[in-house]
Amino acid sequence: MSMTHEPLFGAIEAGGTKFVCGISRGRGPLLESARFDTISPRETLGAVTDWFLAQRERLGPIDSLGIASFGPLDLDVESESYGRYFPTPKLGWSGADLVGPLRTVLGCPVGLDTDVNAAAIAEHQLGAGRGATSVAYVTVGTGIGVGIVLRGEAVHGRMHPEVGHISLRRDPRDQAFPGTCPFHGDCLEGLASGPAIAARYARSLSELEDDHPGREIIAGYLGQLAANLALTCSVDRVVFGGGVLQTPGLVDLIRRATRLRLGGYLQPDCYRDSIDEFVVTPGLGTLSGITGALLLAESAYKASRVSA
């Protein structure tokens, strides 16, 4: 009896602070993983490429690679700049080619999407979004990103959702802070990301006292986001992840802020009665991004088999 080949998938979760890499056989557990600091494109991608080459020596050829990256990215496969970064707040990465060097060295199909779209796919299929028709995944950390899955498909348009840069109604207690976004100042990312919190309070959110107004201010901005996703995309679930969400009690404050922002609107008013099921934390914990990258690798592998 012949053995069925179990494909070897590589995965990269490319974040503004770190690149997390992994290898698995099919949908099995990670066989190996590694973390590299996000520094310059040359240094970071060089370290990542060397690691995958070492794994290939040990485990055999990599059948496909999935990359879930921070943005903004050119995701148009027909574009000359496919796989390159658009202007980004991440110093040194504007215009950098993410896909080209990896595809050239590893010689395998590559599946690419944003880190938050990939995480949304993973949570929809395997995590907190199972059974939901539509899911939004929000990461709040070095930046703020939002991925959206509607009826099983990640949302793409001219580019991909950049919801972290929407404008918000400012909290009256927060009028003096100009924001940290180099493009927009006080957009959502400029007000509620990890660096914005540190710039405003000289501490992380989890280090603030329980009764510090900063906790309510940040939760209020994230609650506005959740309400906007309910009103614009009609998502069934908003999954909040990222480092800032490690703050104890923050998700409950976001739920309360979401309910207040919706103000009893939407009929039937399911969000008011089941807000705990609408605003949730990741079912996959910290593995949403790398799991999504593996699912991108799986999709790229299947597509290559069909076209072969």
Side-chain angles (χ1 to χ4, degrees), residues 6-11 24-28 62-67 109-112 121-122 125-126 290-306:
E6 190 75 10
L8 188 66
F9 295 147
S24 77
R25 291 270 179 205
R27 288 199 174 187
I62 297 170
D63 291 287
S64 65
L65 176 68
I67 306 176
V110 176
L112 174 68
I121 292 168
Q125 291 190 24
L126 304 170
I290 196 69
T291 302
L294 287 169
L295 293 175
L296 292 176
E298 180 182 65
S299 294
Y301 175 75
K302 289 179 178 178
S304 69
R305 301 283 287 183
V306 169

Side-chain angles (χ1 to χ4, degrees), residues 241-277:
V244 173
L245 264 292
Q246 301 303 309
T247 304
L250 180 59
V251 69
D252 290 325
L253 291 175
I254 295 172
R255 288 167 175 156
R256 185 173 71 182
T258 303
R259 184 186 292 113
L260 289 172
R261 179 56 60 191
L262 287 171
Y265 194 66
L266 298 178
Q267 296 297 326
D269 193 6
C270 58
Y271 300 129
R272 183 185 65 192
D273 296 332
S274 58
I275 196 71
D276 290 359
E277 297 178 12

